[in-house]
Amino acid sequence: MKHIKLKKRGFNYYTDYTEKYLNETLEAYGYKLSLRKDNAKGSLVFTFDESPWLTVSSPSFNMLSDEALKEFAENLAEKFKTVYEIASEEPTEKFEERHEYYITDGVGAIDEPFFITEGEPCFEWVTMPFRQNYNKPYHISFQNYGGIKKGLVAEITVKNKNAEIKDFELRKMDSNGEFEAFKTEPIVAEKQNSKIYRFEFPEYVIPEGINRYSIKLMAKKKQTECEKRRIYVSFLPVCDYDETADVTEEIRVSLKGL
């Protein structure tokens, strides 16, 4: 299988701009980058490893003539502002990251809206403690990938029924980067093997979601707009417990619309 190798200019550099440069290359051939598999006309895999090279692979490369592949490699290297090599060997270094991108002749990732306003909210955690311990504060953030909705519920499930959840606070960032805090008393329910703390915020408006299939915003601007639409949760799990023990499997946090 044929591969195109691009000389790295820095790992973070390509993390931020891979999608932009790839889309610009494809547009010269009448195609666009897509992050949706269902409308794909082909695919490209980018492999970041410990070598000085970024490897680009695609089944389509084997169907191109040597001249056509060389032309595509030259255009790709020009957009990525680097030099290239054409190789037949798979990357042999330990992978750092591997991303699959799709090719379309329809609506591309650059055309997709960055924000989602319709549909039910869909939350995924962005950051959480690497090790979770009782008697130490938890700080977790969630990103919405669904629509806007009024009313939010946060639930904390604790498998240790002797534990308590205290100092719960929900925060959001305004357009100026300032945080607004929300607090409420929990509704506590005990089950056979766990205890559930439910925090309801009926007036809280869940912000618009992020479209994971869009590349309309990139790099720092994308990060900033995502952060402004995250929901930040903090609380203190209290228990007479070994404070150094990792209790990752004992505490679960989830958000949903009310």
Side-chain angles (χ1 to χ4, degrees):
M1 185 173 178
K2 297 176 182 178
H3 308 273
I4 298 172
K5 298 175 69 175
L6 302 174
K7 192 70 173 287
K8 292 179 186 175
R9 292 185 59 193
F11 181 77
N12 290 334
Y13 177 83
Y14 290 120
T15 300
D16 289 341
Y17 294 102
T18 295
E19 294 165 353
K20 176 179 184 292
Y21 295 149
L22 177 55
N23 188 71
E24 290 175 350
T25 305
L26 293 173
E27 284 184 326
Y29 296 89
Y31 292 95
K32 294 179 181 179
L33 167 70
S34 174
L35 303 181
R36 295 182 184 271
K37 190 174 182 178
D38 54 5
N39 68 352
K41 300 295 183 182
S43 65
L44 291 160
V45 174
F46 278 61
T47 302
F48 296 83
D49 58 29
E50 295 176 341
S51 76
W53 299 91
L54 164 63
T55 302
V56 186
S57 308
S58 174
S60 302
F61 291 168
N62 290 335
M63 295 183 285
L64 297 177
S65 66
D66 291 344
E67 191 63 30
L69 180 60
K70 181 181 178 183
E71 178 190 307
F72 183 80
E74 288 174 349
N75 290 335
L76 194 62
E78 181 182 354
K79 294 298 183 185
F80 276 74
K81 302 175 177 63
T82 188
V83 297
Y84 76 92
E85 287 184 3
I86 295 177
S88 57
E89 302 84 14
E90 292 278 351
T92 57
E93 302 289 337
K94 179 182 177 183
F95 293 173
E96 292 179 352
E97 286 198 36
R98 185 181 177 95
H99 300 281
E100 184 170 18
Y101 298 106
Y102 303 103
I103 302 168
T104 183
D105 56 4
V107 176
I110 195 68
D111 306 312
E112 299 249 11
F114 187 67
F115 302 117
I116 297 175
T117 58
E118 302 296 326
E120 286 294 311
C122 175
F123 294 104
E124 293 183 15
W125 66 265
V126 181
T127 58
M128 63 187 303
F130 179 69
R131 283 179 61 87
Q132 301 179 348
N133 309 106
Y134 285 120
N135 306 316
K136 293 184 180 179
Y138 277 42
H139 301 284
I140 306 174
S141 62
F142 293 84
Q143 192 83 65
N144 178 24
Y145 291 99
I148 299 172
K149 187 171 185 178
K150 184 178 180 180
L152 175 71
V153 174
E155 288 188 347
I156 304 175
T157 302
V158 189
K159 288 187 178 180
N160 186 337
K161 294 178 72 173
N162 294 320
E164 294 183 353
I165 299 300
K166 296 185 176 181
D167 302 333
F168 180 89
E169 183 177 86
L170 183 146
R171 294 178 299 143
K172 71 174 181 180
M173 188 186 298
D174 64 21
S175 59
N176 297 317
E178 301 294 328
F179 282 99
E180 181 180 3
F182 300 82
K183 297 182 179 181
T184 189
E185 292 299 315
I187 301 169
V188 184
E190 291 198 12
K191 294 192 174 181
Q192 184 175 357
N193 298 314
S194 64
K195 188 160 50 175
I196 298 175
Y197 286 76
R198 180 182 172 95
F199 299 86
E200 296 184 357
F201 299 90
E203 299 303 314
Y204 184 93
V205 178
I206 299 168
E208 59 265 14
I210 301 301
N211 183 356
R212 64 179 86 235
Y213 301 109
S214 172
I215 60 167
K216 194 169 287 293
L217 298 181
M218 300 176 190
K220 187 176 180 180
K221 187 174 183 181
K222 175 181 178 180
Q223 181 66 23
T224 300
E225 294 303 317
C226 286
E227 288 175 351
K228 288 180 179 179
R229 289 159 180 83
R230 285 178 188 161
I231 296 175
Y232 301 83
V233 171
S234 63
F235 58 93
L236 179 67
V238 178
C239 188
D240 183 11
Y241 201 91
D242 180 358
E243 293 191 8
T244 64
D246 184 358
V247 295
T248 301
E249 298 302 320
E250 294 188 10
I251 299 177
R252 285 287 179 266
V253 184
S254 65
L255 301 184
K256 59 183 177 180
L258 184 61

